[in-house]
Amino acid sequence: MAMPSKPVSAACRALADQPQFGDLEFNAHQFFGPQRLIDSAGEVIDPGNTLTIGRAQEQSIVLDLDTEAVFIFDFLYFRHGLDSGFVLRCGSVAEFISTVTLGPRYSHIHGPHETWGGAWWLADPWYLYLQELAFA
């Protein structure tokens, strides 16, 4: 016997549709979109099958459908003194969730610590929460 369906609450939709973890904001799945990675000259550097699945402020959270890698890509990397747009890379969604979203690598989502004048992560509420839980 099938159970009658219940309307999905706003709280459940918020958790599943557009979750946010500090500066990491994930899109609802229907808003995942194709993403071509480019260098500072506007040339495509990776013709792979990639989707933007969220944002970390002005940076994109990208999923490579061929390799299952998840990474943060900064299209303005040259303005931030980085050698590449790849700010942070994980081999899988599970690794990204456990080590970045809910783990110690969260403090690297905006690039290497040495590129920052101050330790922004030490005042970030999400990072402080992760530390309180001993996740970071």
Side-chain angles (χ1 to χ4, degrees):
M1 182 161 140
M3 297 292 290
S5 63
K6 294 181 181 179
V8 177
S9 73
C12 287
R13 260 194 315 280
L15 284 174
D17 282 350
Q18 295 177 306
Q20 182 174 353
F21 304 90
D23 285 349
L24 300 173
E25 298 177 32
F26 293 90
N27 300 337
H29 75 279
Q30 66 265 33
F31 297 113
F32 288 5
Q35 182 67 68
R36 292 288 177 232
L37 306 179
I38 58 172
D39 64 14
S40 60
E43 298 294 322
V44 175
I45 59 171
D46 185 351
N49 191 13
T50 54
L51 294 176
T52 295
I53 61 170
R55 304 204 55 75
Q57 292 183 341
E58 74 278 354
Q59 304 162 118
S60 295
I61 303 171
V62 180
L63 170 65
D64 185 321
L65 295 172
D66 297 328
T67 66
E68 298 182 11
V70 178
F71 48 89
I72 295 177
F73 192 84
D74 186 348
F75 286 93
L76 299 175
Y77 66 92
F78 49 92
R79 290 188 185 168
H80 300 132
L82 300 173
D83 295 331
S84 164
F86 294 96
V87 175
L88 183 146
R89 182 187 293 262
C90 293
S92 68
V93 172
E95 180 187 347
F96 189 84
I97 291 169
S98 66
T99 66
V100 180
T101 304
L102 299 174
R105 293 179 66 196
Y106 176 83
S107 69
H108 295 272
I109 65 172
H110 298 303
H113 289 173
E114 56 272 8
T115 63
W116 288 89
W120 65 268
W121 54 94
L122 296 178
D124 182 275
W126 182 250
Y127 187 71
L128 295 174
Y129 179 66
L130 292 175
Q131 285 190 315
E132 184 178 316
L133 296 174
F135 288 177

